[in-house]
Every structure is written in C-alpha cells, then in structure tokens.
C-alpha cells in the first residue's frame, strides 16, 4: 500500500508532468489508491493514466521490465495501453517529493470510453450475474495473450519475481503469508495443509514451456477494459513468469461460488483452448492453482491490515478460501485414482496430434475401453465398469443380434436408396408402426445433427419463414445452422438473428413461485419470442425442442405448459420439431417416443444415436402432407442413409425392444428408480430434487443456500467412477446427475448404481444428511 496521502500524491503527480512533456496546467483527477496511486490526466494532447509506484516496492529494473513488456506486446498488435516515454526516452521517470524521496512514475495513454469487464468483489459475494459471453471473451483474450507472450518470452534486461511455488505457497509468499489472516489455530493448520498439498501438485506439474511462461498474474475482469466490444488488458504491475493456467485460475477463483460457475468455467476454457493447448497435467492442477490464487489474496490482506480492501478480503475471501481448502484436501484424501499409464499417456498424446486436443474427454483421468457387453465396459487394464450413461447402445454394448444383422447384410450387398431395396422398406414400415397418426412418413439420415438440419429445412419450406425458437440451454447438433441456435455449449458461430430463446419453467428450481405465475411468465416469454420474430420480418418457422428437456436439466414442468406451448406455435403458423435423439425408442418408459410420454403433438420428430445401437443412422418422421409438400420441390438424397446395412441394424434394435418388452419394462424400472431417488432426496439436504422418467434420471444437487452445486455433482461423478460406475451431469449449472443406461440393465444393477450414488453423497457431503 502506498504511504502517500492523496494530497502528497497529487503534488508529486503535478511535478511529474514536465518529465513526460505534459502541460503543467493539465487537469488531474484521482482514480485509485491501492498498491500504487493512479491519476487521470488531461491536456490539449489527450488523456493519460499516470501511475506513482509504491515506494520501495519495485526496483527500477522491475518497473522498466514491466513497461518494456507492455511495449513489446503493443508492437505485436495485442490490445494493451500505449506507454508514453519520458523526455529522456526512458519508460518511466524518477520524481522527488518535498523530502527528496525518489518515486517511480510512469504514464500511458488513457483507454478512452472504456469500462471494466467485471467486478471481482461483486463476483465473490454473488452481486452480479454476467452473461457467459463475458467468459468467452476473457478466455479468448487470455489465450491470445499467452500465445503472444510465449513468442516474446523473456525480453532483454528482464527483471521480475516469478510466480513459482515458493512465491505462491512457500515459506515467504510473494504477496504475503495467508496464514497471518487465520482467525484460529485450526484455520491456520488448515491453510498450512492446503499449502503443502498445493506445493506437491505444482512440483509434479513442473515448469516446462508447455505449462509455464510469462503471465499477467492478476488477470481479473477488473483489469480487462471493454471499448465498444473490443478488449484491452491493463495493469501489468504483478506480471512475471508463472503457470499459464494461473491467469485462468484468477478468474475462476472470483466466480467459483457463482451458481453458473461451471458454465463460466467451460466457456472460459473452451475459448482459451482455441489459442493455447492445455496439457492434461495442467488441467489436473487447475483446482490447486485456483486455491493458490485465493491464498494470495489472504496473504495480501494479512500484510496490509489497515487497507479497506483487506477488510473485505477478511470478511468475504477468508471464508471462501477456507471452504476451498477443505474441499481440496478432502478431494486429495478421497482420491483413489491411479496415475495414467504410459500406454494411455502415449495414446492421449497421439490423439492430440491427430484429432486435436479440443475433442472433449470424460473424467479427470480418461478411460481407455477395449470391450463391451450389455451394460458393461472393460478397460485396457481388464477393469469392468457398469455403464449407466451411454444411450447409443440402446439394447446393450456389442449386442449380438445387431452385430450379426449388420454383418450379414454387409456380406450380402449394401446400396443406397436410388435402388429398390426390400430391407429398407421393411424397416421403414416397422419403425413408422411405432408412431401415431398422422406421422406416417420417414426420411433417413446419417445422424441426429443431419436430421435436425433437414427438419429445419422442411419447416422453412413449409412455412415460407425462417424464425426458430429454442430453449436457453440446448444443443441439437453440429451443422452451421444448428450452431447458430446452440445455447448449451460454446460455439464460435454468431447467434442467429432469426433465433429467439425461451426458458423452460421448472417447479423444482422455483418452488417458492406460484405455479400459475410461473406458467404465466413462461407463456409470456413464448408470446414475446413469436412477436419479436414477426416484428423483425423473420416470422415463425419452427419450435425445436427435446420433449424431456434433458440438456436443460430434466425440469419438472407445470402440467399445462407443453400443450400451451405447442398451441401457441401452431397458432402462429409454425411447426413443432421434437428432437428425440436422446429420449426416443422407449427411453422414458411405457411408450415408444418422448412426445408420446410428454403429450406433445409434433409435426416432425428427429431421431439419431440409438436407432442403430452404434451403427450411424438417424431420421426425420413426418406426415404424408408435409413430405409431399417438401419433396415435390426438393430432391433429397443421401448416399449412406437408408442403406440395407443401416436398415438391418435398425430392425434388429426394434426386434430386441419388442421381443424383450423393453418399453414396458423401462416404465416399471423407472418407477422403482423414482421411488428410490425420492427417498434419497427426502433425507439429504444437498439434493434439491429427483429428476427424470423411465431410464433417464438423476438428482439435482444444491448447496446449503439451495443454489446449484456443480462441484458436488462433479465429485459424485468422479466418486462413482472410482466404484467402476459411469454416469455424467447436465443442466445449465452442471449440477444435475445424468444417469441413462442401456435399456437392458437389470434391476439389481440399477440398485447397485443407486446404492453407490447414495454412499457417494454421504461421503462427499456428510453435512447434508438429515439426522432422524
């Protein structure tokens, strides 16, 4: 903290002006007074940011290094302020006060019409709710910065303290000792244990160039300015060498308690990785770096007890960091994970060099599977895992009936639909027989993405309009037009001007709300979306939804919602597209299709993944009227969709489901699961609600305040993995456990999944168990 009073600093700033050829009568306005004192200065030439460095905090070489680095960044075109040299050509000036004490002063052009991208203090206490796009911007800027700084490296005359393990969690940390802020001996011991554990993680991570280089080290939203959509990175006061991900960790620390923390993290990392690859070893160390970042703030406050900011850090940051310490140490204690084998590490490296490092992988340590049977997968080490997640093998892994049918057909012949082929028509007839009137026609495709793309084409042709309504956390495929309406994961394509977004009402997450008011607000959103599309000249072509809204977290809807939603779409002349890639083929139990289970009357139903039990195929189901209208004007043809081999896989899947009565059986199993999950939800405070239907189910996990608890959900997923059970998580906040096994799972296998789930809940969140 600068010891200068504001008046002393102002006098010193005035003395410094001639050193930078700034008019002596320039206007000077105070900006901030923390480590350094910053003024905004204006004269006829323009506006400047003038900084007086804290006396004795940096050597001349360190100040010169900082500004020289900013100059080097600016010369590459990276968005940083432009440094103004002193009259003698140096990057700062030494100015003496009335007592003859020398102070370092530097100047840069003021970034005009700018505002900080966010407020870290507000983030920690939950007083802001930034859009996920903010984190995409931060990740992109950070990735670009690291890419450039990696090229620049250590500039000539480099002199800065590194942000290595000693600086973060060593005996004398760079920003001060966090243990000094501990309010009790127990808290001090907790912090010491966490520091020891972090040092071990960082020692294993190492300081190779792929994980370590010149970083900003205070990369918070406050130090990123936005000017009409463009970003500028400021305040390099603490820059130096450190782990690349420490800059990311800075953002994550301030937002780690936010209900959308996992969504923000995903957007941040995805945008960052467009520019900088994150090695798996670094990704595994990210939690340690986030905690290390939090500890540095405690150290800063401990060294500066008189500062107002320190009072905030003691009141708000200290409890948050202690909580992180406990979770980090608990995770270290509970982790039974074995290190990745050399074989798998080599395979991972080969994967990155071929299909790239951006293709997502499940789990902290990816699993390498080599065989499957029914609901079981076997890894390369011979370990068997109960697969309670994958719906592609709808009737079981390596189903012999499907495999044999495809093999026989491929050994016979395989042509496309420009030739007459009996197996394709047999399959089409059997598939359409599971639908209700008027859905009696099918287009075959290769995938769910292709099916949704075709459905949108049909809707636009049928209506003569382009507007589409989707939900606020959805994903329907990988094509350009589908990327333009994706709201549930990061994409680089701009969001479509012809797309409007609605939120799905969830009685579980809004229990305090009156159901009628909740329903009214939801319908008002739909009406507004339709009106907006009409006013902007797009009109309404289609509503594209999944009838169970699984990506949205399996919400519990007010009963009249879906009927009212589809009525409004049809009244506006739009078509309803039911995306059943995940929820079709009996997944929800008792009926074949998701729209039948939920009461939607769609104009088009899109299918994918499970149709062929792993053989790539999809489809669009519609009516004779719609097909005749579209196909009479558009020649639709697909080389690999609707081949006899694809039809063989599809018929085999239908045969398995019918012969084993899997639709009714799934309904019965689903009711058993519902009862068990309901009992868990009733007695565990960290379970907000049981979710789902049939064999698509889960639990919504919350914290003590009833807010989405993504970290707990992640811990549960990893805990079940250690028990050789595969599940995942979904929802806007990544806090809903996603359990979706092949339909051939047995009741005792389901019970073992739920038993393991309940045990993991008790182990990971023991404080949430009700005492009865």
């Amino acid at each position: 903290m600068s010891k200068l009073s504001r008046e002393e600093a102002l006098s010193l700033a005035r003395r410094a002006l001639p050193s930078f050829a700034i008019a002596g009568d320039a206007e000077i306005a105070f900006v901030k007074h923390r480590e350094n004192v910053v003024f905004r200065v204006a004269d006829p030439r323009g506006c400047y940011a003038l900084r007086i460095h804290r006396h004795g905090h940096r050597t001349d070489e360190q100040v010169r290094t900082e500004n020289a680095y900013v100059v080097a960044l600016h010369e590459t075109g990276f968005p940083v302020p432009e440094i103004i040299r002193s009259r003698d050509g140096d990057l700062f000036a030494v100015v003496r006060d009335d007592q003859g004490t020398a102070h370092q002063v530097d100047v840069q052009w003021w970034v005009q019409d700018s505002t900080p991208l966010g407020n870290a203090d507000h983030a920690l206490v939950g007083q802001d709710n930034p859009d996920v796009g903010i984190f995409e911007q931060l990740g992109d800027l950070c990735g670009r910065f690291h890419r450039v700084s990696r090229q620049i490296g250590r500039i000539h005359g480099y002199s800065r303290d590194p942000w290595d393990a000693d600086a973060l969690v060593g005996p004398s940390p760079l920003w001060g000792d966090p243990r000094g802020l501990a309010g009790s001996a127990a808290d001090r011991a907790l912090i010491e244990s966490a520091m020891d554990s972090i040092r071990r993680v960082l020692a294993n991570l190492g300081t190779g160039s792929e994980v370590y280089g010149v970083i900003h080290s205070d990369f918070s939203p406050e130090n990123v300015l936005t000017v009409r959509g463009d970003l500028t990175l400021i305040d390099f006061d603490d820059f130096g060498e450190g782990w690349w991900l420490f800059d990311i960790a800075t953002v994550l620390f301030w937002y780690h308690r936010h209900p959308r923390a996992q969504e923000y993290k995903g957007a941040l990392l995805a945008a960052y990785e467009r520019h900088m690859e994150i090695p798996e070893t670094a990704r595994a160390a990210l939690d340690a770096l986030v905690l290390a970042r939090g500890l540095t703030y405690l150290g800063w406050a401990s060294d500066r007890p008189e500062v107002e900011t320190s009072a905030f850090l003691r009141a708000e940051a200290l409890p948050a960091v202690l909580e992180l310490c406990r979770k980090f140490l608990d995770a270290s204690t509970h982790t039974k994970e074995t290190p990745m084998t050399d074989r798998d590490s080599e395979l991972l490296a080969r994967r990155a060099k071929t299909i790239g490092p951006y293709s997502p992988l499940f789990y902290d340590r990816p699993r390498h599977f080599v065989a499957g049977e029914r609901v079981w997968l076997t890894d390369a080490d011979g370990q068997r895992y109960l697969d309670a997640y994958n719906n592609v093998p709808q009737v079981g892994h390596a189903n012999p009936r499907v495999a044999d049918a495809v093999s026989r057909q491929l050994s016979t012949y395989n042509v496309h639909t420009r030739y007459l082929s009996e197996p394709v028509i047999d399959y089409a007839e059997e598939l359409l027989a599971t639908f209700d009137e008027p859905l009696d026609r099918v287009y075959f495709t290769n995938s769910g993405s292709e099916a949704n793309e075709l459905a949108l084409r049909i809707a636009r042709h049928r209506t003569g309009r382009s507007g589409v309504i989707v939900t606020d956390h959805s994903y329907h495929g990988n094509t350009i037009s589908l990327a333009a309406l994706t709201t549930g994961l990061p994409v680089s394509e701009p969001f479509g001007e012809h797309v409007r977004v609605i939120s799905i009402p969830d009685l579980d997450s809004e229990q305090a709300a009156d159901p009628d008011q909740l329903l009214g607000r939801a319908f008002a959103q739909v009406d507004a979306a339709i009106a907006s599309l009409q006013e902007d000249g797009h009109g309404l072509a289609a509503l594209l939804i999944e009838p169970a809204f699984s990506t949205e977290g399996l919400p519990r809807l007010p009963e009249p919602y879906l009927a009212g939603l589809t009525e409004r779409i049809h009244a506006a002349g739009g078509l309803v597209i039911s995306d059943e890639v995940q929820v079709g083929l009996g997944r929800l139990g008792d009926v074949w299709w998701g729209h039948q289970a939920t009461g939607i009357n769609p104009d088009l139903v899109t299918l994918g993944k499970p149709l062929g039990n792993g053989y790539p195929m999809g489809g669009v189901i519609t009516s004779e009227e719609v097909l005749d209208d579209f196909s009479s004007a558009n020649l639709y043809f697909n080389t690999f969709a609707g081949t006899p081999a694809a039809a063989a896989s599809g018929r085999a899947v239908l045969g398995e489901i019918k012969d084993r009565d899997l639709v009714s059986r799934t309904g019965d199993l689903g009711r058993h699961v519902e009862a068990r999950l309901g009992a868990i939800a009733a007695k565990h405070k960290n379970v907000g609600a049981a979710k789902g239907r049939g064999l698509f189910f889960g639990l919504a996990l919350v914290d003590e305040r009833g807010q989405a608890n993504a970290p707990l959900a992640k811990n549960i997923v990893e805990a079940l993995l250690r028990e050789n059970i595969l599940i995942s998580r979904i929802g806007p906040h990544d806090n809903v456990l996603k359990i979706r096994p092949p339909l051939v799972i047995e009741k005792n296998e389901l019970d073992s999944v739920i038993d393991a789930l309940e045990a993991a809940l008790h182990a990971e969140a023991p404080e949430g168990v009700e005492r009865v």
Side-chain angles (χ1 to χ4, degrees):
M1 181 69 185
S2 175
K3 300 298 184 182
L4 292 170
S5 68
R6 187 173 298 190
E7 292 74 21
E8 291 170 333
L10 180 59
S11 173
L12 193 61
R14 185 72 66 184
R15 290 186 180 199
L17 298 182
S19 297
F20 296 92
I22 299 174
D25 60 351
E27 296 179 4
I28 303 180
F30 173 80
V31 176
K32 72 175 182 178
H33 186 183
R34 195 174 287 176
E35 287 293 343
N36 310 309
V37 187
V38 180
F39 292 97
R40 184 178 185 273
V41 179
D43 74 357
R45 285 200 305 161
C47 293
Y48 319 88
L50 183 149
R51 176 177 55 168
I52 303 172
H53 287 258
R54 174 186 172 192
H55 184 258
H57 187 54
R58 303 280 187 211
T59 66
D60 286 357
E61 291 76 15
Q62 289 176 329
V63 174
R64 188 173 289 109
T65 296
E66 175 190 347
N67 289 330
Y69 207 83
V70 174
V71 169
L73 286 168
H74 189 269
E75 288 175 349
T76 70
F78 185 79
V80 290
E82 184 177 356
I83 300 294
I84 296 178
R85 292 180 179 270
S86 66
R87 282 182 179 273
D88 60 10
D90 208 342
L91 294 166
F92 70 101
V94 175
V95 182
R96 297 187 181 275
D97 61 22
D98 290 337
Q99 288 72 42
T101 304
H103 296 265
Q104 300 147 337
V105 180
D106 53 30
V107 177
Q108 55 189 232
W109 285 111
W110 187 266
V111 182
Q112 294 283 20
D113 302 321
S114 63
T115 56
L117 198 59
N119 186 304
D121 294 356
H122 291 173
L124 192 64
V125 298
Q127 291 179 348
D128 66 345
N129 186 33
D131 184 81
V132 70
I134 295 294
F135 295 87
E136 294 173 1
Q137 290 180 286
L138 282 169
D140 178 78
L141 183 69
C142 190
R144 287 192 287 132
F145 166 58
H146 287 173
R147 187 182 63 201
V148 173
S149 73
R150 192 172 188 171
Q151 294 167 355
I152 296 173
R154 276 174 167 257
I155 59 175
H156 178 71
Y158 182 93
S159 176
R160 293 296 286 196
D161 293 324
W163 287 89
D164 56 15
D166 282 342
L168 293 174
V169 288
S172 300
L174 195 56
W175 265 16
D177 192 340
R179 291 165 289 200
L181 209 66
S184 66
D187 286 352
R188 181 181 177 87
L190 178 65
I191 292 172
E192 286 180 345
S193 295
M195 292 171 71
D196 288 341
S197 186
I198 291 169
R199 278 197 295 273
R200 289 193 293 272
V201 171
L202 297 182
N204 289 332
L205 180 58
T207 55
S209 61
E210 74 281 3
V211 297
Y212 193 89
V214 178
I215 63 172
H216 184 275
S217 83
D218 198 13
F219 192 86
S220 70
E222 291 178 328
N223 288 331
V224 177
L225 303 181
T226 176
V227 185
R228 295 179 294 277
D230 294 328
L231 303 183
T232 298
L233 182 60
I234 64 169
D235 194 355
F236 281 74
D237 187 45
D238 293 295
F239 103 104
E241 290 179 304
W243 285 278
W244 298 121
L245 285 191
F246 189 65
D247 279 342
I248 295 292
T250 299
V251 182
L252 295 180
F253 170 73
W254 289 108
Y255 287 91
H256 80 271
R257 300 173 102 180
H258 197 283
R260 299 176 70 185
Q262 290 303 307
E263 184 183 0
Y264 293 161
K265 178 181 178 180
L268 185 71
L269 291 175
Y272 179 85
E273 287 186 282
R274 296 189 194 118
H275 306 283
M276 287 282 287
E277 177 184 348
I278 301 177
E280 288 302 316
T281 52
R283 192 183 296 272
L286 184 54
D287 287 346
L289 290 169
V290 171
L291 178 53
R293 175 79 273 186
L295 289 168
T296 63
Y297 290 114
L298 299 193
W300 191 94
S302 175
D303 266 15
R304 301 157 182 81
E306 75 284 356
V307 182
E308 182 180 348
T309 302
S310 297
F312 169 82
L313 292 171
R314 183 184 294 276
E316 300 294 343
L318 177 59
V321 173
L322 292 175
E323 178 187 5
L324 279 178
C325 286
R326 293 186 189 95
K327 290 182 177 180
F328 183 72
L329 293 171
D330 285 347
S332 300
T333 301
H334 293 156
T335 297
K336 304 172 186 174
E337 199 68 271
T338 55
M340 187 176 288
T341 63
D342 291 343
R343 174 204 61 226
D344 288 353
S345 295
E346 180 183 348
L347 183 60
L348 188 66
R350 289 169 54 202
R351 185 182 196 268
K353 291 179 179 179
T354 51
I355 65 175
Y358 309 108
S359 180
L361 286 162
F362 286 130
Y363 311 117
D364 289 341
R365 180 171 76 80
R367 280 344 191 234
H368 176 187
F369 291 119
V370 296
E373 180 186 12
R374 212 168 54 78
V375 296
W376 296 91
L377 286 168
T378 303
D379 72 8
D381 298 314
Q383 292 287 315
R384 275 170 39 100
Y385 291 77
L386 198 165
D387 183 1
Y389 173 74
N390 285 291
N391 73 321
V392 177
Q394 188 88 341
V395 291
H397 289 284
N399 182 286
R401 182 173 183 170
V402 177
D404 290 347
V406 173
S407 177
R408 281 196 304 271
Q409 189 59 56
L410 287 174
S411 298
T412 306
Y413 80 108
N414 200 39
V415 295
H416 49 64
T417 53
R418 288 197 175 189
Y419 302 98
L420 286 176
S421 176
E422 192 170 0
V424 179
I425 306 308
D426 289 341
Y427 174 53
E429 290 171 343
E430 291 183 27
L431 179 64
L432 289 170
T434 64
F435 287 87
D436 301 318
E437 292 292 337
L439 299 174
D440 59 1
R441 294 293 187 273
V442 58
Y443 293 94
F444 289 118
T445 67
N446 292 311
S447 68
S449 290
E450 194 178 328
N452 281 323
E453 179 79 16
L454 176 59
L456 289 175
R457 263 189 81 191
I458 293 171
R460 288 169 181 150
H461 170 83
R462 179 78 171 159
T463 64
R465 308 185 195 107
S466 62
V468 181
I469 294 176
V470 295
T471 65
D472 60 0
H473 194 74
S474 60
Y475 166 73
H476 296 284
N478 287 314
T479 65
I480 290 177
S481 59
L482 292 171
L485 52 78
T486 294
T487 56
L489 51 79
V491 294
S492 61
E493 286 82 0
F495 195 70
E497 294 180 359
H498 64 294
V499 185
R500 298 295 181 271
V501 175
I502 59 173
S503 299
I504 301 302
D506 187 354
L507 292 171
D508 290 329
S509 64
E510 303 190 43
Q511 291 174 346
D514 178 86
D516 291 336
Q517 291 181 354
L518 185 64
L519 189 63
R521 289 197 300 270
F523 283 153
Q525 257 194 12
V526 178
D527 293 339
I530 294 172
S532 174
L533 287 171
Q534 292 170 339
E535 290 167 6
D536 289 350
H538 303 292
L540 177 64
L543 167 76
L544 175 57
I545 56 171
E546 184 206 271
F549 303 103
S550 62
T551 306
E552 296 85 344
L554 298 168
R556 184 167 62 92
L557 307 176
E559 189 172 343
Y561 178 69
L562 286 176
L565 174 62
T566 53
E567 285 171 8
R568 282 166 164 77
I569 299 302
H570 284 143
L575 303 187
V576 175
I577 304 172
S578 180
D579 180 342
E580 306 219 7
V581 172
Q582 292 199 79
V583 298
L585 277 179
R587 168 63 57 187
L588 301 184
D590 301 318
V591 291
W592 276 90
W593 303 105
H595 65 274
Q596 296 166 336
T598 54
I600 296 175
N601 294 315
D603 302 284
L604 301 126
V605 180
T606 56
L607 313 175
K609 295 174 185 175
L611 280 184
N613 209 61
Y615 192 99
M617 62 185 303
V620 178
I621 308 296
T622 189
S623 63
E624 178 182 12
E625 179 183 353
V626 172
L627 182 141
D628 286 349
D629 181 37
F630 178 77
S631 291
S632 62
N634 298 276
L635 179 61
Y636 173 77
F637 169 71
N638 190 314
T639 302
F640 292 109
T643 63
S649 69
R651 288 191 73 193
V653 169
L654 291 179
E656 285 284 89
I657 294 174
K658 292 174 185 176
D659 293 349
R660 300 169 73 166
D661 195 23
L662 294 182
V663 174
S664 296
R665 182 176 175 274
T666 296
D668 293 338
L669 289 175
R671 283 179 279 278
H672 172 69
V673 169
E674 183 180 9
R676 289 214 57 189
L677 293 186
I680 294 173
K683 67 182 180 181
H684 204 291
K685 295 177 181 177
N686 288 103
V687 178
K691 294 286 191 179
R693 171 175 172 167
L695 288 179
F696 201 149
F697 57 92
L699 295 173
L701 302 183
V702 297
D703 60 20
E704 64 278 0
R705 297 169 294 172
Q707 301 298 309
N709 196 337
L712 177 59
K714 180 181 186 300
N715 290 346
I716 297 297
V717 171
E718 292 290 338
L720 261 66
L721 182 65
R722 293 192 291 270
E723 300 300 321
N724 288 27
I725 295 172
L726 308 179
I727 67 169
S728 189
R729 54 191 178 127
I730 49 173
H733 309 304
D734 260 353
N735 69 308
V736 179
L737 298 177
K738 182 178 184 180
I739 307 176
R740 187 191 54 179
L743 301 190
V744 295
I745 194 169
E746 298 292 344
K747 184 179 179 181
N748 66 309
E749 293 167 332
L750 267 177
D751 280 331
S752 68
V753 173
I754 298 171
D755 290 343
L757 173 60
E758 187 169 19
L761 265 173
H762 288 202
E764 298 294 332
E767 69 283 355
V769 181
E770 295 272 15
R771 305 301 179 190
V772 295

